[in-house]
């Protein structure tokens, strides 16, 4: 007799999936953050990725994603939960662009306000204009899915009464593997991007993860900024 599919994940599922998907990233980011503090590396070096780095990142994420899928299969998780929340519609791309601009503008404002304790990630650090090649597009598309399927998919695949706790947990994890960009920027990315994405997702009458995947991918490709690009044009 086949057992019923699991519709809700438990706290230990979230913890184990965090370790699977982000354990290596958190460790590496922490090492790079400590190197920043010791001035053995620079922020620009931490933000510079070669095509080989992108391909390696893609391969590693694909491997960890496979492990996560196998874990969910072992837990008899109902994958129709994800299928019901990934919808291709005529509005998806406009929603993604809107999410990107709102998030980028808020992050720019945060960077300006927190300038004294956070080093803003400016286009100059990303070599304006960013060099966009196939490796970057490939990695960014996977990364947008990889991160948001965890934060807006897996973290919310718990009983609704626990959503506020998994939301706060997701903010902490978002910060933890972005510390290689400096603590201020990690906090900004975690709190601002995480909160905006969560609030907009919860506000949606019909939940759809696809705009969030694409908005995140767009931020990975061009950088999470609007004001600095406008400034660069002047």
């Amino acid at each position: 007799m086949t057992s019923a599919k699991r519709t809700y994940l438990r706290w230990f599922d979230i913890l184990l999936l965090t370790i699977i998907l982000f354990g290596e990233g958190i460790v590496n980011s922490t090492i790079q953050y400590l190197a920043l503090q010791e001035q053995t590396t620079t922020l620009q070096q931490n933000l510079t990725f070669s095509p080989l780095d992108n391909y390696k990142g893609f391969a590693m994420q694909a491997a960890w994603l496979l492990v996560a899928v196998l874990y969910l299969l072992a837990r008899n998780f109902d994958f129709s939960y994800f299928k019901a929340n990934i919808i291709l519609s005529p509005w998806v791309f406009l929603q993604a662009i809107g999410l990107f601009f709102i998030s980028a503008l808020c992050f720019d404002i945060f960077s300006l306000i927190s300038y004294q304790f956070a080093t803003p990630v400016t286009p100059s650090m990303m070599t304006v204009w960013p060099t966009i090649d196939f490796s970057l597009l490939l990695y960014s598309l996977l990364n947008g899915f990889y991160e948001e399927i965890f934060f807006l998919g897996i973290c919310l695949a718990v009983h609704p009464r626990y959503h506020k706790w998994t939301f706060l947990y997701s903010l902490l994890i978002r910060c933890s593997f972005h510390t290689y960009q400096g603590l201020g920027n990690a906090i900004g990315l975690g709190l601002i991007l995480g909160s905006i994405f969560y609030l907009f997702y919860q506000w949606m009458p019909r939940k759809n993860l696809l705009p969030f995947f694409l908005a995140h991918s767009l931020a990975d490709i061009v950088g999470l900024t609007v004001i600095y690009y406008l400034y660069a044009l002047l």
Side-chain angles (χ1 to χ4, degrees):
M1 183 176 179
T2 304
S3 59
K5 291 287 186 180
R6 184 179 300 277
T7 54
Y8 292 134
L9 296 173
R10 301 287 301 280
W11 67 268
F12 57 84
D13 293 317
I14 304 298
L15 179 60
L16 287 172
L17 286 166
T18 301
I19 294 171
I20 291 169
L21 295 172
F22 299 105
E24 182 187 31
I26 292 171
V27 170
N28 289 338
S29 183
T30 302
I31 292 171
Q32 288 180 291
Y33 170 72
L34 293 174
L36 278 176
Q37 303 312 299
E38 295 170 0
Q39 297 184 340
T40 56
T41 188
T42 65
L43 185 57
Q44 187 158 359
Q45 287 175 317
N46 282 1
L47 294 173
T48 301
F49 302 98
S50 68
L52 181 59
D53 291 329
N54 292 331
Y55 286 125
K56 285 181 177 178
F58 179 91
M60 289 301 300
Q61 285 193 344
W64 290 126
L65 197 58
L66 177 59
V67 175
V69 169
L70 292 174
Y71 174 85
L72 290 172
L73 286 171
R75 290 287 286 153
N76 201 29
F77 182 71
D78 186 359
F79 282 87
S80 65
Y81 165 81
F82 296 129
K83 184 178 179 181
N85 291 283
I86 301 176
I87 307 159
L88 182 61
S89 74
W91 298 104
V92 161
F93 295 103
L94 285 176
Q95 289 172 331
I97 292 171
L99 280 167
F100 168 78
F101 272 99
I102 291 170
S103 302
L105 184 59
C106 289
F107 188 72
D108 281 336
I109 293 170
F110 167 82
S111 296
L112 291 172
I113 293 173
S114 63
Y115 189 84
Q116 295 302 316
F117 70 89
T119 305
V121 179
T122 65
S124 61
M125 294 178 181
M126 301 178 289
T127 61
V128 182
W129 299 90
T131 302
I132 300 174
D133 62 9
F134 179 74
S135 70
L136 178 60
L137 291 173
L138 186 68
Y139 172 74
S140 297
L141 286 173
L142 178 60
N143 189 59
F145 170 82
Y146 187 92
E147 293 190 21
E148 300 311 326
I149 198 67
F150 177 80
F151 294 120
L152 298 179
I154 291 172
C155 282
L156 297 182
V158 296
H159 194 283
R161 68 171 175 266
Y162 300 126
H163 279 184
K164 63 181 179 181
W165 299 112
T166 52
F167 161 62
L168 293 174
Y169 175 77
S170 73
L171 297 184
L172 176 64
I173 299 304
R174 277 190 194 267
C175 290
S176 67
F177 63 86
H178 285 108
T179 52
Y180 71 94
Q181 297 186 20
L183 188 59
N185 288 313
I187 292 172
L189 284 170
L191 296 183
I192 294 172
L193 187 69
S195 296
I196 289 173
F197 275 25
Y198 174 81
L199 291 173
F200 272 89
Y201 183 67
Q202 293 292 63
W203 170 77
M204 275 184 160
R206 187 181 183 187
K207 301 291 186 288
N208 188 3
L209 290 165
L210 192 52
F212 299 89
F213 298 161
L214 296 175
H216 190 129
S217 296
L218 182 59
D220 287 340
I221 293 168
V222 302
L224 191 62
T225 182
V226 173
I227 292 176
Y228 288 113
Y229 280 119
L230 294 176
Y231 177 78
L233 290 173
L234 297 179

